[in-house]
Amino acid sequence: MAMLMTAALVAPAAAAEELPGWLSYQTEPSASGTVRALEQGPATKPDHDDVDTEHIFGFSMGSDIGKKGEIELEIENVGRFGRRFGSYTGVGVLSQFKFTLTDNFRVAPGVSFASTQISGVPGMIDNRRNAIAGASMEFRYKVLDRDEMPFGLTLHAAPGWNRVDELTGFDAQIYGTEFAALMDKELIHGKLFAAFNLWYSGGASRDLANAWSHDSEFAVQGALSYKLNPTLILGVEARYVRAYEGLGLDRFSGDAVYVGPTFSAHLTEKIGLSGTWSTQVAGQACNDPRHLDLDDFERHQAMLRFNYLF
């Protein structure tokens, strides 16, 4: 009888230990068990916010890369408008197919198209041209999952080749790459999201006279986005960009600060649209005392992105 009574007393405690942490305090195995469960609190994390953060921040990007096996078509249109004098418009269109090979790794081959309209800009030759520009291959590896860690972190690399200088519209041979650390965090569950990016890009270009030049850029970007409803997310983004001569950020050329609103919308379950309009609000070229750097950068930069998930 003593052994049976002992087993009867121990069994509820053992059963309680096997329950999930969020249920353990609802049973009454012992006073100490109840206190321990209350001190520990819920052991399970909230449900996934069901938001893909990659494209909700404008030019800045979140750490999400999609689920294993997903195939996605993306068409990204980037417009650059305005110099100090004259008329300047440059549009680059990058079309990519994204293949998520694992939950942590994705590749995306792409081709680009360039359109340049230049008239009366000092230091630039007037030109109007539309052309297929080049090709690239993007790689992304998710290091930290934001649903399991304090924040998300994805590493980005994208080598590419261009046959057209997207700045001037003239023929050139350009070999370059970009690297980035993409971080994001959910501040309010399912509602408010933040992103922080570090970007480096560099390239070597050869013009028609076989003269080589090298340049690079470094950017720090941050954004906040708020989910208004299941189909619409609005936000704001700020970017600080520095231009250099040389591949290794060698000789400082100028800097610019861009600020602008962002949006991301789900048109259907498989179709998404996102974008931003950024305006240069501060900056200066190295050899120009005037406000803003309109030698290395444009007055306005805009982006409109279309995504289709197969």
Side-chain angles (χ1 to χ4, degrees):
M1 288 293 293
M3 293 177 63
L4 291 175
M5 293 179 64
T6 302
L9 292 173
V10 173
E17 290 297 328
E18 294 173 358
L19 290 173
W22 63 276
L23 280 178
S24 60
Y25 69 88
Q26 295 181 10
T27 63
E28 297 181 356
S30 65
S32 60
T34 302
V35 172
R36 182 171 61 253
L38 289 173
E39 290 177 347
Q40 292 176 348
T44 59
K45 295 176 66 66
D47 293 337
H48 187 274
D49 51 60
D50 200 29
V51 172
D52 188 327
T53 62
E54 181 179 5
H55 293 322
I56 67 172
F57 299 110
F59 285 106
S60 303
M61 295 188 183
S63 65
D64 290 345
I65 64 171
K67 299 177 182 178
K68 178 182 177 180
E70 285 186 349
I71 300 176
E72 184 177 8
L73 169 65
E74 178 176 299
I75 302 176
E76 182 181 82
N77 307 273
V78 176
R80 308 178 308 278
F81 310 100
R83 295 282 173 159
R84 196 171 299 278
F85 301 105
S87 174
Y88 179 87
T89 298
V91 177
V93 180
L94 175 62
S95 300
Q96 292 179 308
F97 275 100
K98 300 180 176 181
F99 301 92
T100 306
L101 304 182
T102 72
D103 288 335
N104 297 91
F105 183 64
R106 189 184 74 194
V107 298
V111 295
S112 58
F113 172 86
S115 175
T116 307
Q117 312 291 324
I118 304 173
S119 176
V121 178
M124 303 183 75
I125 301 174
D126 290 1
N127 191 20
R128 294 178 177 273
R129 187 180 183 189
N130 303 311
I132 296 175
S136 64
M137 177 67 80
E138 177 190 278
F139 303 91
R140 290 204 179 175
Y141 182 77
K142 184 190 294 185
V143 179
L144 301 177
D145 190 325
R146 64 185 180 86
D147 292 320
E148 300 175 359
M149 305 300 289
F151 63 93
L153 169 62
T154 292
L155 301 181
H156 162 97
W161 164 81
N162 278 3
R163 56 181 291 272
V164 174
D165 187 336
E166 292 188 358
L167 177 64
T168 65
F170 290 103
D171 288 340
Q173 294 293 323
I174 302 174
Y175 306 90
T177 190
E178 62 182 19
F179 300 97
L182 313 175
M183 292 163 274
D184 61 2
K185 184 177 179 62
E186 185 181 29
L187 302 180
I188 300 177
H189 180 63
K191 286 294 185 180
L192 183 62
F193 303 85
F196 179 76
N197 292 179
L198 298 174
W199 288 82
Y200 162 86
S201 62
S205 60
R206 183 178 63 181
D207 60 23
L208 294 178
N210 286 327
W212 285 91
S213 62
H214 304 82
D215 59 80
S216 53
E217 287 186 2
F218 178 76
V220 179
Q221 305 178 176
L224 287 172
S225 291
Y226 185 82
K227 185 176 180 181
L228 292 180
N229 56 53
T231 61
L232 181 62
I233 297 176
L234 299 180
V236 63
E237 175 188 41
R239 298 181 292 134
Y240 175 63
V241 192
R242 294 173 64 89
Y244 294 84
E245 296 178 6
L247 287 174
L249 307 177
D250 302 321
R251 295 173 297 280
F252 176 68
S253 178
D255 60 359
V257 177
Y258 286 92
V259 177
T262 67
F263 81 93
S264 176
H266 276 287
L267 304 183
T268 70
E269 184 180 351
K270 294 181 177 293
I271 298 176
L273 194 67
S274 58
T276 182
W277 181 281
S278 292
T279 299
Q280 188 180 158
V281 297
Q284 188 174 15
C286 186
N287 298 316
D288 190 341
R290 290 173 294 184
H291 180 60
L292 304 181
D293 181 357
L294 297 177
D295 295 333
D296 301 292
F297 306 100
E298 297 77 26
R299 185 70 173 89
H300 304 280
Q301 294 182 352
M303 184 270 296
L304 183 65
R305 185 189 293 115
F306 169 86
N307 293 85
Y308 179 81
L309 183 64
F310 291 93

